[in-house]
Amino acid sequence: VQLQASGGGEVHAGGSLRLSCVTSGRPLSSSTTAWFRLAPGKGRQFVAAIRGSGPNKKYAASVNYRFTISSDIARNTVYLQMNSLKPDDTAVYYCAVSGRSLINSQMDIERSYDYWGQGTQVTVSS
């Protein structure tokens, strides 16, 4: 299984970015896919997850109502639309895929995921 994340960049506070995670080797329809982020001086944090093509989704409280996770099963791609970005959102964002379909209580746990992408940098300036 391979994951390729892209779409990061530099924006001002209040701006938007859309991250993409293209996967190969495992169908998204039978997986749970998530985004985590790693900021300087902090541990890796859960951001959002989606089971299959939805509607089961989960968000971290800090991004709820600002970020939206979605998937395109035909393209094997998961997206993270990030709006109203804040400087605290600055981090390297990683996509991850589980080897099985997760229940809600497992979706925000890092060890639930078996495969990880290389990360894409998001920088939000004030």
Side-chain angles (χ1 to χ4, degrees):
V1 179
Q2 293 186 323
L3 291 76
Q4 181 69 42
S6 62
E10 297 186 26
V11 296
H12 291 294
S16 299
L17 284 172
R18 188 176 79 157
L19 306 183
S20 299
C21 177
V22 180
T23 68
S24 61
R26 179 172 179 85
L28 291 182
S29 58
S30 59
S31 303
T32 298
T33 307
W35 289 94
F36 287 78
R37 66 187 182 187
L38 181 62
K42 299 182 180 179
R44 192 146 58 180
Q45 299 176 325
F46 169 76
V47 176
I50 183 169
R51 190 163 72 206
S53 59
N56 292 292
K57 303 178 183 180
K58 191 170 187 176
Y59 294 95
S62 59
V63 307
N64 207 8
Y65 305 113
R66 298 189 299 124
F67 291 10
T68 302
I69 190 169
S70 62
S71 66
D72 184 334
I73 298 300
R75 296 177 184 269
N76 281 329
T77 302
V78 171
Y79 303 99
L80 185 68
Q81 178 66 44
M82 305 186 296
N83 299 327
S84 302
L85 282 162
K86 305 174 181 179
D88 282 349
D89 295 318
T90 294
V92 178
Y93 284 70
Y94 298 88
C95 59
V97 171
S98 70
R100 64 196 190 282
S101 184
L102 303 177
I103 61 175
N104 187 270
S105 62
Q106 297 171 319
M107 293 171 74
D108 57 352
I109 299 175
E110 188 175 338
R111 66 177 180 271
S112 296
Y113 296 90
D114 305 293
Y115 310 101
W116 292 81
Q118 85 289 0
T120 184
Q121 176 72 46
V122 172
T123 302
V124 185
S125 58
S126 57

